Amino acid sequence: QVQLIESGGGLVQAGASLRLSCAGSGRAFSSYGMGWFRQAPGKERDEREFVATINFNGGRTDYADSMEGRFTISRDNSKNTMYLQMNSLRPEDTAVYYCAARSSLFNSRNDFEYDYWGQGTQVTVSS
């Protein structure tokens, strides 16, 4: 089992950057595929949007089309931490961002395949 804690959210202007972190507990952090998902204002939890995912060793990543080229997902297994570097932020990126881990070495775009979730961190981008 792993517990996840996100940090790094905040209020920024359009065009700014933020880096989110997801710290995981437990010894098996390096054996989990992981991802970032977001829930926009007014959306239900089952309408969470896939943002980016990464496999167990960081060798394979996957991005939603609207984030490709602006966001970078990475992980440092020696620190039990995953990151999301977000550049050129837009107002439509405003959401609660969640990190998630699945009991598999591999990543997936499907949120229902993830077993563990953090509490979320708010990102607000003003125009």
Side-chain angles (χ1 to χ4, degrees), residues 47-111:
E47 296 176 282
R48 275 182 302 212
E49 179 184 16
F50 154 69
V51 174
T53 63
I54 190 166
N55 74 336
F56 72 106
N57 66 358
R60 175 173 289 185
T61 59
D62 187 22
Y63 296 91
D65 289 346
S66 62
M67 289 72 164
E68 186 82 51
R70 298 191 299 126
F71 292 7
T72 303
I73 190 171
S74 62
R75 65 191 296 166
D76 185 344
N77 287 339
S78 69
K79 297 181 179 179
N80 279 13
T81 303
M82 177 179 66
Y83 305 98
L84 185 68
Q85 177 67 43
M86 304 187 294
N87 299 330
S88 302
L89 283 162
R90 306 166 180 168
E92 54 265 39
D93 294 319
T94 295
V96 176
Y97 284 71
Y98 295 91
C99 72
R102 63 189 299 248
S103 301
S104 167
L105 297 177
F106 305 107
N107 44 332
S108 168
R109 292 188 169 202
N110 301 316
D111 62 348

